[in-house]
Amino acid sequence: MTEPTLQVEILRYRPETDQDPAFQTYTVPYRDDWVVLDALNHIKDNIDRTLSYRWSCHMAVCGSCGMMINGEPKLSCHAFLRDYYPNKIRVEPLNNFPIERDLVTVTDDFMEKLESVKPYVIPKQERAVDEGPHLQTPAQLNTFKQYTMCINCLLCYAACPQYGLTPDFVGPAALALAHRYNLDTRDAGREQRQEIAASNEGVWDCTFVGECSQVCPKSVDPAAAIQQTKIASTIDWYKALLNPWGKR
Amino acid sequence: MAKSNKPIVWSLFAGGGMLSAFVTPVLIFITGLAVPLGLMSLDSLSYDRMLVLAQNPIAKIVLFAVIFLPLWHAAHRLLTTLHDLGLPKGRIAMTLCYGAAALGSIAAAVVLLRI
């Protein structure tokens, strides 16, 4: 019996030789426990060594292998061939990012935005080691825990129509992480993050399409984080209006 | 980056969304289904009763809220949806959407005050 196979159509782009990106089709063995990343590894190891793509953990933790799979942003380690077989699978680099090479995108824009929201605990006062750990109750942890699950895979940026239309938009993952630290009881950096988050390019460019939360492989729900930030920023705005002498 | 002034329109949008979700369906049910189908007495929406209702200052405020907030909600939603569909964020679209909501709000206020 011949082994079943599956066709994978990959958008290739090698800047030193190709004018424009173009599709190349490969035939790979079909196994029902294989994911798209296994198919790519099979191609790389056995058919075409020149294929470039990012991956690391193969278990939806590292966030490296995000790609457009049949037009949907997905982690290629999370997309089973059996959900597409016997149809052809089309694999493209993530939407809304420039292509560096084949399935590898240039993510500098996101990295700058992520840094701009200061995604780390900014304590009010440095805590000395002999003061012991900063305790947090399970309830306090629960307020932000889901937002800590972000793996920066950028599927939300590829899914967001606003990021595609308005490249200055800070975007879902960075805003969700800003919210995560704002909610943390150990943190006092909200005012600094609001400089970015409460600007036009921050939460206000979001039109609540909600695709970011649909595609998130870690159920972070960035759309909810952004809407909560909109409410908090609106309360700030009215407070500043009613009390112009108060703390800005 | 400067903090945005969008909270003005967004708070109207959010308030209107809340009303549209919770109150508007009930109003549509009463005015569009329950009374015409006879589930409620035909008299309950009679001119005389509605006139008395609209003359009450508190009822005026409530009526104004259920008219003007959903108008702003619709204006903002329409504008952002047009943007999602690829229409550039222009002054014309903004003026048309928010202008319609502003005119509707003023009209509602004038009519309610004159009753």
Side-chain angles (χ1 to χ4, degrees):
Chain A
M1 218 177 87
T2 53
E3 202 183 27
T5 59
L6 182 82
Q7 286 198 313
V8 184
E9 192 178 49
I10 300 174
L11 193 69
R12 302 289 316 266
Y13 176 63
R14 285 138 301 180
E16 65 280 1
T17 52
D18 301 347
Q19 274 278 273
D20 294 303
F23 282 103
Q24 192 171 344
T25 304
Y26 300 91
T27 302
V28 299
Y30 168 73
R31 310 226 207 300
D32 69 353
D33 59 348
W34 267 18
V35 290
V36 172
L37 181 58
D38 294 315
L40 295 177
N41 285 340
H42 176 86
I43 295 167
K44 178 97 178 166
D45 293 345
N46 303 293
I47 307 173
D48 186 347
R49 288 187 304 165
T50 67
L51 180 66
S52 298
Y53 51 98
R54 288 195 182 107
W55 74 285
S56 178
C57 76
H58 201 292
M59 49 197 276
V61 170
C62 74
S64 310
C65 70
M67 298 166 194
M68 304 302 291
I69 297 173
N70 280 4
E72 260 185 78
K74 279 183 187 291
L75 296 179
S76 59
C77 68
H78 229 201
F80 280 92
L81 297 188
R82 59 173 183 254
D83 294 331
Y84 302 90
Y85 183 79
N87 299 317
K88 195 194 262 186
I89 301 178
R90 174 175 274 210
V91 184
E92 296 159 277
L94 281 179
N95 267 0
N96 299 337
F97 291 96
I99 305 176
E100 186 160 317
R101 182 182 195 88
D102 294 340
L103 300 170
V104 178
T105 52
V106 183
T107 58
D108 299 3
D109 182 57
F110 167 71
M111 294 304 169
E112 279 165 28
K113 286 170 176 167
L114 181 64
E115 239 182 283
S116 76
V117 299
K118 308 191 177 179
Y120 38 83
V121 170
I122 303 173
K124 204 167 197 167
Q125 268 179 326
E126 277 305 328
R127 208 176 159 84
V129 177
D130 52 10
E131 284 177 90
H134 193 134
L135 296 177
Q136 211 162 36
T137 65
Q140 287 171 333
L141 175 65
N142 259 340
T143 58
F144 65 84
K145 195 175 174 198
Q146 92 185 69
Y147 306 119
T148 68
M149 306 309 277
C150 176
I151 55 174
N152 301 343
C153 66
L154 304 185
L155 299 193
C156 52
Y157 283 74
C160 175
Q162 280 308 314
Y163 181 59
L165 291 164
T166 317
D168 285 340
F169 176 36
V170 176
L175 290 167
L177 281 165
H179 190 57
R180 173 249 175 277
Y181 288 97
N182 289 343
L183 293 175
D184 194 318
T185 50
R186 297 165 297 181
D187 182 83
R190 180 167 178 269
E191 266 310 303
Q192 296 178 43
R193 289 184 205 103
Q194 282 294 89
E195 290 295 318
I196 303 293
S199 70
N200 280 334
E201 294 75 22
V203 289
W204 300 112
D205 262 341
C206 164
T207 59
F208 202 6
V209 174
E211 278 298 303
C212 50
S213 297
Q214 294 287 323
V215 301
C216 179
K218 309 301 279 185
S219 303
V220 169
D221 201 357
I226 295 175
Q227 305 323 302
Q228 287 169 15
T229 307
K230 282 182 185 172
I231 295 172
S233 307
T234 301
I235 294 170
D236 285 352
W237 191 90
Y238 279 101
K239 270 189 188 159
L241 182 77
L242 294 172
N243 181 11
W245 304 278
K247 201 177 70 160
R248 287 263 168 177
Chain B
M1 276 188 249
K3 285 192 185 171
S4 174
N5 285 322
K6 285 197 184 167
I8 315 172
V9 263
W10 191 80
S11 52
L12 295 173
F13 165 76
M18 190 88 95
L19 279 182
S20 302
F22 289 115
V23 180
T24 314
V26 182
L27 288 178
I28 292 172
F29 176 74
I30 294 172
T31 57
L33 291 169
V35 173
L37 292 176
L39 301 174
M40 284 169 74
S41 126
L42 274 177
D43 192 40
S44 49
L45 287 182
S46 72
Y47 179 78
D48 295 333
R49 291 179 77 131
M50 287 297 110
L51 185 66
V52 174
L53 177 78
Q55 280 169 338
N56 181 300
I58 295 169
K60 275 188 209 288
I61 294 171
V62 173
L63 286 171
F64 182 62
V66 297
I67 296 167
F68 110 98
L69 283 174
L71 274 177
W72 282 92
H73 179 82
H76 187 72
R77 189 68 261 174
L78 190 65
L79 187 69
T80 47
T81 302
L82 287 173
H83 181 61
D84 289 335
L85 295 174
L87 198 84
K89 265 186 210 161
R91 287 210 172 268
I92 303 172
M94 221 172 196
T95 313
L96 283 177
C97 288
Y98 293 143
L103 281 178
S105 307
I106 294 167
V110 169
V111 168
L112 281 167
L113 286 172
R114 285 170 64 182
I115 292 172

